[in-house]
Structures are given as C-alpha cells and as structure tokens.
Amino acid sequence: DAKTTQPPSMDCAEGRAANLPCNHSTISGNEYVYWYRQIHSQGPQYIIHGLKNNETNEMASLIITEDRKSSTLILPHATLRDTAVYYCIVRVNNAGNMLTFGGGTRLMVKP
Amino acid sequence: DSGVTQTPKHLITATGQRVTLRCSPRSGDLSVYWYQQSLDQGLQFLIQYYNGEERAKGNILERFSAQQFPDLHSELNLSSLELGDSALYFCASSTTGASDTQYFGPGTRLTVL
C-alpha cells in the first residue's frame, strides 16, 4: 500500500471547518483513500473513503486532487467532540485487506 | 456504536500467563481482523479471518493465535505474556473481507504486570 504523509497536529476553532491534508504521492490507480479517526483510546471510527471523485457523507467531505496525489478531509463545523487523531490510509482494492495506520494528525478543536 | 463487540473491556494479568480476548462481528459480517495498539508501535495489524479460515497474517507473534468459530465470533489467544504485550487490542469486521470498509470494536485493554 502507498505511504501517506500527514501533519502530526492541527488546531481548529469550534464551529469552523477543519481541513486535514494528506499526501499520498505514490498512490496507484486501484488504491482507495480511507479516513478513520480515533477519539482518545476508543476503537478507530470509519469516516469516509473515495477513489477519485469527491465524496460527502453526514460526517465529512473528502476532496481528492485530480492527480490523486493528495486529499483533504473536511469537517464542516468542528465541535469539541471532533478532537481526535485522524488517520489517512490508502488501500489496495483486493486481497491483503489490512489497514496500515501511520501516525495520523492529532486534531485539537478549541472553544 | 459500530456493532462490533469485544470482551472483556479490561484485563490485568501477570507475566507468563495466558488470556483470551473475544470479538463478535457486526451482524452479517464474515471477516474479522485483529489489531494491536501499543504506545510505541501504533496500530498494527495482527491477523484476519474470513468465514472461519485464516486469510492474512501481519506481525503476529508465535505466542499469539486466533480462530474464528462457526458462529463467526473470533478469539485471540495470547500466551506466555510479557510486559511488552500490554496494549489495546482491537477487533474489526467487514462484510466480505475484500475491499469493503472495516468497522472497529471498542477494544480490550490488556495490562501485563
């Protein structure tokens, strides 16, 4: 699976949009971009995933650049409960289905 | 709530002992994955089962073993425990074990004294 690069930490003001970047410059054509988050020591929570089109669900939006070398997870109106470590993972779309977690981005939402 | 359940929530034991962690996947999911999260190693994949059969293996120690039963629940057995085995152990499940999304349970915190 391709490696990803994320900033180790970010701050965001409550109520503002949180934009979390991820670089995956070696991504291949059949790899999806997945985002998970982990709040404190809870189990990782699935947020969203995409291949090349932008995606949106009730939690977040995922913007993938046209060359697919980077993406941005957008939390439109961050709340204190969004404080967590956010993991960007790229994953081959077939066998060997484990998730490879990097260091992630620690997002701190401040009042 | 992801629908994946794990028991126990916490486990405290001594070095050299053996423990069993249990995972029940979401209803309808055939695949179960085990991950370990320690302070110095981050989240690491251990092993995957699909419909009772081992499908993929990660950095799982020989002292660790797992199985998936006919009712699709899974158990992770850790033996000859060492201090370094203290960690959070997460189970995840997915529908087919292919490229579909994995949903994680709340984890078991293992402390080896």
Side-chain angles (χ1 to χ4, degrees), chain B residues 5-12 19-23 34 76 88-89 106-110:
Chain B
T5 60
Q6 290 187 249
T7 56
K9 257 187 144 170
H10 302 277
L11 202 46
I12 301 174
V19 297
T20 298
L21 313 183
R22 183 187 168 107
C23 168
W34 286 97
L76 179 67
L88 281 163
Y89 291 85
T108 293
R109 180 179 291 278
L110 174 66

Side-chain angles (χ1 to χ4, degrees), chain B residues 35-48:
Chain B
Y35 292 82
Q36 178 193 55
Q37 186 174 33
S38 55
L39 279 174
D40 56 346
Q41 295 284 338
L43 265 159
Q44 290 205 311
F45 169 73
L46 295 178
I47 197 164
Q48 178 199 2

Side-chain angles (χ1 to χ4, degrees), chain A residues 34 36 38 44 93 97-99, chain B residues 35 37 45 97-99 102 104:
Chain A
Y34 277 79
Y36 282 80
Q38 187 174 26
N93 192 24
N97 306 307
M98 61 194 178
L99 294 169
Chain B
Y35 292 82
Q37 186 174 33
F45 169 73
S99 61
Q102 294 179 28
F104 284 76

Side-chain angles (χ1 to χ4, degrees), chain A residues 10-99:
Chain A
M10 290 182 64
D11 290 344
C12 177
E14 189 179 18
R16 303 299 294 270
N19 297 282
L20 293 98
C22 180
N23 183 286
H24 32 79
S25 58
T26 59
I27 193 169
S28 57
N30 63 349
E31 286 183 312
Y32 283 71
V33 180
Y34 277 79
W35 284 83
Y36 282 80
R37 72 180 182 184
Q38 187 174 26
I39 298 172
H40 194 46
S41 295
Q42 297 176 23
Q45 179 187 23
Y46 166 75
I47 302 173
I48 199 166
H49 74 282
L51 184 61
K52 51 184 174 182
N53 296 322
N54 298 337
E55 302 286 346
T56 296
N57 64 20
E58 66 280 2
M59 286 184 69
S61 295
L62 173 60
I63 309 298
I64 302 174
T65 58
E66 198 168 333
D67 64 6
R68 301 186 71 240
K69 292 184 177 183
S70 66
S71 61
T72 302
L73 178 75
I74 302 172
L75 307 178
H77 305 286
T79 71
L80 299 179
R81 287 176 296 182
D82 293 321
T83 292
V85 178
Y86 287 77
Y87 296 98
C88 168
I89 299 165
V90 291
R91 187 170 169 226
V92 177
N93 192 24
N94 53 27
N97 306 307
M98 61 194 178
L99 294 169

